Amino acid sequence: MIKPIVRIAPSPTGKLHLGTARTALFNYLFARKNKGKFIIRLEDTDKKRSTLKYEKNIISNLKWLGLESDAKIERQMERLKIYQKYASKLLKEKKAYLCFCSAQELDEERQRQLKRKQPPRYCGKCRDLSKKEIAKLKKEDRRPTIRLRVPDDRGTIKLKDLIRGEIKENAGLIGDFVIMKSNEVPLFFFAGVIDDSLQKITHVIRGEDHISNTFNQILIYEALGLKKEIPEFAHLPMILNSDRSKMSKRKGDTTTVEDFKNLGYLPETLINFMALLSWHPRRDDQKGKEDKDEIYSLQELTSLFKLEEVGKSAAIFDKNKLDYLNGYYLRRLKNDELKNLICPKHLAEGWKCEDKILERAITLVKDRMKKLSDFSELADYFFEEPVYNKELLIFKKSDEIYTQRGLGATTEELSKLKESDWEKQGRLEERLRKVVKEEKLNNGDVFWPVRAALSGREASPSPVELLWALGKNESLKRLDKALEALNKN
Ligand code: GLU
C-alpha cells in the first residue's frame, strides 16, 4: 500500500465532539498502521459560528487524546485567495457561473418545489446570463454567489466507498450548487476539495453525514480537471445512544471530549472505547495474545487496525463498557499518579491534597472507582465524620449488648497500641482477633461495628484497613462516638 495521507477537518463551530474524535482516531490509526501521515485542518469558513475558543478546544482535546497533526494546522480563512483563484478559473472556463438570485427568491423556489413534492433543486435561472445582464445586475448592487454548473449529461455519479461499497447518485437531482458565497468565502466542501488535492490527501475518512457532500465534491474535482486526484472515501457510521436516538447535548447526553474529561475519564479509556465503536480487532489477528477483554492501547490498536473491517451499522454508545474500561485504566495507575489526577479538581470542598489520609483513602477506594469524579463520594467518610445510627452499628446476627461489649473492648485494646503500630495492618488485625477470643465474642460483634463506626456505611473497606487509613486519633474518636450512640436510649 502507498503511504496514505489522511486528515481530520473539523469546523470550529463547537467543542470537540465524541464523533469527531472517533473520526480523528480512525484516521490516525489508518495513517500510523500504514506508515502514512495524519493531518489536522480547520474548516472555519462559517464565519458566524466559528470561534477561536472552539478551535483551541478541538486542538487541545485531540492532543489530550494523543492525536497530533503531522503537519502545520491550516485554517481555511487564511487561504481564501487560493480558493478564489480556483473559483475564477472555473468561471473563466464556464464550469461555474455567477448567480444573482437572492436568498428570498431561492427560498420561495424551494417552497414551491416542496409543495409539488419535487426534490428541491436550483432551477438554473442565472445559468446563461449574458454579459450585459450580468453588468446590469451588478449595477443594482446585487452580490453574486458562484455556482458550479453540473453538466447536463453527467448521469450517475458512482462512488466506491471503502466501508459501504458502491453508492450512487443521479447528478440530475443535485442541480447547480453554490461553491462560493456572495462574500467570496467558499463553502467548506469546495475549499475541502482544493485543500485535499493540495495536501495530497489519499483517503477521506469521515462521518456518514458527509455522503451527500461527496457527490458534490466529485463534481468539483471533475470540473477542476482533478479527476485523477479524487481520493478514496470511507464514511463511518454514526454513534447512537443505546435507545438508538441521536446523541445530543440538549437531551443531557455527554457528547464532548471535554465533558468526558471533566467527569474523570482517562484519555486511554476514550481511545480504547472509541476504537471499538463500529470496529473490533479480529481474533485471528491477535494470535498468541491472551483474551484481551476489550482492552487495547493506542499502540496495539495501531498495529491491529484495518479500515476495511469497519462496520456499516450505527455504533451504540455503551456507558457500562466505558465505565468498565475506565475502571480498568484507573486501577492500573500508581497511587501517586491517581492522586495527581484527583487533585485538586475531583476533591470535595475542604479536603486537602497534602493530607496523608488522602493517599490511604485512594488506596482503599481505587478498585471501586469508575471515574475520577467518583472519588469524593466513595471516600467522603475519610474526611467527614459519619453520623451514627444504632441500627447500622449492630450486625444482623448480633445484638446491642454484644455490640457494646465488642466495641468497648476493642476501643480499650486499641488505645493501648502505639502510634507506630497503627502503620501495620497485621498488628491491628491481631488486636481485633484477640478481643473476639478473650471476650468470647463472634467476629460480627467486633469487626462489623468497628467497620460501621469508622465509615458510617453499610459497605466499605475492612475495619483493619479503615483503622490504618484513619490513624489512631481519628479512629479512637469515632469508636468513642459510636459507643456513645450505642449507649443512648
Ligand atoms: N468540516 C467538516 C465537519 O466538521 C468535515 C468535512 C470533511 O471531513 O471533509 O464536519
Side-chain angles (χ1 to χ4, degrees), residues 138-157:
K138 277 190 175 163
K139 256 201 194 137
E140 286 171 18
D141 235 14
R142 289 221 192 194
R143 297 181 59 199
T145 59
I146 300 178
R147 277 183 193 272
L148 192 87
R149 187 189 302 271
V150 178
D152 292 329
D153 54 355
R154 177 59 183 81
T156 308
I157 310 167

Side-chain angles (χ1 to χ4, degrees), residues 7 9-11 41 43 188 196 204-206 209-210 217:
R7 83 314 187 259
S11 301
R41 182 171 83 212
E43 301 202 326
F188 80 89
D196 284 343
V204 169
I205 306 169
R206 59 184 175 186
D209 47 328
H210 285 294
Q217 289 187 312

Side-chain angles (χ1 to χ4, degrees), residues 64-122:
W64 179 73
L65 290 167
L67 309 176
E68 290 189 72
S69 182
D70 293 329
K72 178 175 172 260
I73 300 178
E74 304 276 2
R75 288 193 191 93
Q76 288 183 331
M77 285 307 280
E78 287 167 5
R79 295 160 57 80
L80 288 183
K81 289 228 161 69
I82 301 176
Y83 314 123
Q84 287 160 358
K85 197 183 86 197
Y86 280 85
S88 305
K89 179 172 176 277
L90 290 176
L91 280 177
K92 223 177 264 158
E93 295 170 0
K94 302 224 174 321
K95 290 176 179 162
Y97 57 88
L98 298 177
C99 173
F100 293 87
C101 296
S102 68
Q104 195 190 339
E105 281 165 336
L106 293 170
D107 191 49
E108 282 165 8
E109 179 189 23
R110 208 180 121 83
Q111 296 306 331
R112 274 196 303 275
Q113 289 168 333
L114 288 174
K115 234 186 218 161
R116 280 188 239 130
K117 302 226 171 348
Q118 289 170 337
R121 161 175 183 257
Y122 179 59

Side-chain angles (χ1 to χ4, degrees), residues 160-172:
K160 247 216 181 102
D161 189 278
L162 294 174
I163 295 173
R164 320 177 74 83
E166 191 176 273
I167 336 179
K168 301 184 244 186
E169 177 66 291
N170 178 355

